[in-house]
Amino acid sequence: MSAPVMDTCHVSCCANRTPNVVSWGRGGLIAFGTCNSVALYNPQEIRIVELLNKHTGRVNAVHWVHKQDCSPETQLVSGGSDNNVIVWEKQDGKFTACAVCSGHSGPVCAVDAVSLSSSHLLVASASSDSTVKLWTCTSGTAECLQTVSFGSGFMMDVSLVLLPGSRVPVLACGGDDSRVHLYAQLSGQFQRLLTLTGHEDWVRCVEWASKDGELWLASCSQDCLIRVWRLFAKTVAEPDHQTDAVIKMKENIFQVSGDEFAVSLETVLAGHENWVYGIHWQPPCVKGDSVEQPLKLLSASMDKTMILWGPEEDSGVWVELVRVGEVGGNTLGFYGCQMSPDGSMILAHAFHGALHLWHCDRNQGEWRPSVVISGHFNAVQDLSWDPEGEFIITVGSDQTTRLFTPWTRKGCSQITWHEISRPQIHGFDMQCLTMVGRFQFVSGADEKVLRVFKAPRNFVENLANISCTSLEKLLGCNDIADLPEGASTPALGLSNKAVFQGDLASQSPQQDSKDFNSMSDQYKESYFHPVKLTEPPTEDDLLQNTLWPEVQKLYGHGFEMFCLASDSAKTVVASACKASKPEHAAILLWSTSSLKQLQSLPCHSLTITQMAFSPNGRLLLAVSRDRTWSLWRRGNPDSDTETSFSLYANTSKDTAVHTRIIWSCDWSSDSKYFVTSSRDKKVIIWGPGVGECEGVSVTPCSSVLDVGDSATAVSICPFLCSDQSYLLAVGLENGQIVLYKWRPSEDLSSGSDWSRCGETDACQSHTLVVKRLRWRPRPGRAGHGEQERNEEQDWVQLASAGADHAVKIFNIKISAL
């Protein structure tokens, strides 16, 4: 099989914001739901190794099917908001969907599965349709075995286990009635055995563990407590008369196929101060010939902490062994927790989707935070490379702006991309951004204001450390002396305030006196602490210590911001907002030096969807929801007056070729041609020449390319292919990205000027709309240093942003196209 044209270099994403959505397998991979996909993440390599795409709704629950002999799993079960449960099986090294269980009438919120034989799988799924369904999966076919209805109640979690000795499946369900329900499969059907009471609020998670012929069941609840129950076989009745008075816990007794079993409450664990959402037993390990189950239980809570519990050796009393978590910060707590197979690492996923990983330092016996991947937890709307092509900045509907760069580790050839700064955390959904210099950008959100940000000193120093570049080279002619140290957000503000060296000195801990001089002493504004990073920061640092100060606000638009563009010299920024009338659909031009409005360009009647300056800076192109485009030409740049733009060419309702909204546009690197892509599935290249003499009409230079689906993003590679043709990437509404080569041709009727030369496969594609495509402004692969310079002519990189919360970077071998 030939190597793919597009090789995925980086995927940035985070876990969905639901409990039960993360599972750690024995093969070392962490599976988690991200939007409509299941991501397989390798914590050692710190990268996503595979994305499993089949669900058509959000993935809410993921569970590896663990094997009795503790060997690596080959099956994975996922449930989603598309009401389906999918069983994935490893075949030829890749996971494929081998069975789809469809029958629920509401989103699936929890799944579990046990292997009954090598080809026989029993799956349990809980859904918001108030049922728990049991499925049997054999050789690729799924059959609903039974539906257990709970009337008007909901089950939050399910857990399956086999009774030791008898191999009878036992099911535990925890729900909104504050109880734990136990079922066992008797003569083919699951029948209710017991209802365990004690919790005083919704039961959020239940999980079984098997040890020495007994079963242990842990349950956690919104009453902030964890209960541990023990299920054991009853032996011969003990005599009643005992010499010492012994307090015995009440036992609930039931019978399964003639044998008598009892369930008793082992302990109640109180240590969390908020709802406990997740619990997880330490996975069993192989010792010699037997499998040993350690009695250690991990719990995760909305109080932002994880606790590892276990019984003391001498007394058997359950105590808190380890507590990790966040202190302060503007995050909410944890939704769930997992433990690595060897027990050396613990993982939590937070309310905002972030993964938090701690590893045990064996030498010191301490738990330390580890580097993990991160990403947006809502649609990514826009992205931009920095002018040197060394990092990308993205904005999304999760109200954040994030900056990703390759991490160069000493002695490690593998380059991984990481989020090293979160310059803006906002109160509005972010929509657009553009770079206006090496370390400065303008962003627009669902507000009428544009905000300008400039990198602080602390960021530039950390970027130098992580990317192994010299600080002098990064700063170039920038003077670092007057840069602020960092930024912080006031308690009730939206604007990031610069924090200078002097501000940090005034925060010294000398004010420990109990009497506050003023209110402002009592409520300190500056939360920023400079961090010296040699590796990518943790989520806590990203939230608090990597903000960029806001330099300026730009006022002028009447509605929510929609798109931004800046010219190649970074002297002018163009902005446009949502519009349903011509008076609001004007483009505003801003000077990047004075940060003042230069000009208003009225032409369109509806929202301008994207703008692009030609690489030579002479022309500005805008495309709109009104199905037309407009081209603006810069006046004489040598004159003394501020450079002004005038309308040079445009299409009207009568001359428009596109019949639906034009989503995207871009320029060729020689400024000769531009491309437009539309919801009508058409991609068209326009030109030529935009000549010097007046009255030149701009007409289509290509045949109309039908890409088969709404073309939501388009970008022309700034470097020509070896045969001197132009390389285009087109992003579609279905999430696929397609590569086309185009070369100017006299005969446009045949359509031979276009050739399709590559596309993303099912695993590489986004699962929702492709929002933005951007080629790296330099050839080669970012972060590869000397190697990058040697292979410059071979590789180009393409970054894509999707409504599926993902940012992807692809390596494309342009020399082989």
Side-chain angles (χ1 to χ4, degrees), residues 185-416:
Q185 191 175 16
L186 307 171
S187 57
Q189 289 287 300
F190 276 82
Q191 296 174 15
R192 185 177 296 195
L193 303 172
L194 286 176
T195 300
L196 306 177
T197 57
H199 283 297
E200 293 174 4
D201 207 335
W202 293 11
V203 176
R204 276 292 178 176
C205 186
V206 288
E207 188 170 305
W208 289 106
S210 176
K211 181 177 171 69
D212 304 334
E214 296 181 343
L215 291 179
W216 295 72
L217 175 67
S219 62
C220 66
S221 161
Q222 292 180 183
D223 61 8
C224 312
L225 299 176
I226 300 158
R227 289 174 170 259
V228 180
W229 317 80
R230 192 165 65 98
L231 188 155
F232 52 94
K234 289 285 281 180
T235 48
V236 186
E238 296 157 3
D240 283 341
H241 52 87
Q242 294 201 343
T243 49
D244 298 333
V246 177
I247 298 174
K248 291 193 73 178
M249 295 300 287
K250 179 186 162 209
E251 291 177 352
N252 295 294
I253 294 170
F254 63 91
Q255 287 195 336
V256 173
S257 27
D259 296 328
E260 199 168 53
F261 292 89
V263 178
S264 68
L265 179 66
E266 179 70 15
T267 184
V268 178
L269 307 177
H272 286 294
E273 294 167 8
N274 208 327
W275 297 2
V276 186
Y277 262 101
I279 42 173
H280 180 64
W281 290 100
Q282 181 171 339
C285 50
V286 179
K287 287 267 177 82
D289 298 335
S290 61
V291 174
E292 201 173 279
Q293 169 69 56
L295 267 193
K296 283 187 181 171
L297 183 69
L298 188 64
S299 63
S301 161
M302 272 291 151
D303 65 6
K304 306 186 198 178
T305 62
M306 273 202 299
I307 300 177
L308 186 62
W309 309 85
E312 277 186 321
E313 272 188 29
D314 307 336
S315 63
V317 174
W318 283 69
V319 292
E320 183 182 305
L321 305 173
V322 177
R323 183 189 287 249
V324 296
E326 303 183 14
V327 180
N330 48 359
T331 55
L332 291 152
F334 295 142
Y335 261 147
C337 52
Q338 290 286 301
M339 202 169 202
S340 65
D342 62 357
S344 66
M345 291 186 278
I346 53 178
L347 175 91
H349 61 105
F351 182 80
H352 282 147
L355 299 175
H356 297 253
L357 183 69
W358 285 267
H359 70 275
C360 185
D361 190 330
R362 295 281 186 218
N363 304 330
Q364 317 217 327
E366 282 181 17
W367 288 83
R368 301 177 185 277
S370 292
V371 177
V372 282
I373 59 153
S374 62
H376 289 275
F377 58 83
N378 211 328
V380 188
Q381 300 292 354
D382 201 357
L383 67 84
S384 182
W385 288 88
D386 87 288
E388 295 295 314
E390 285 180 13
F391 57 82
I392 58 173
I393 298 192
T394 60
V395 293
S397 302
D398 61 357
Q399 309 188 341
T400 64
T401 302
R402 299 172 187 242
L403 188 147
F404 299 88
T405 195
W407 178 27
T408 311
R409 281 169 279 179
K410 292 196 169 55
C412 178
S413 59
Q414 181 121 31
I415 301 286
T416 53

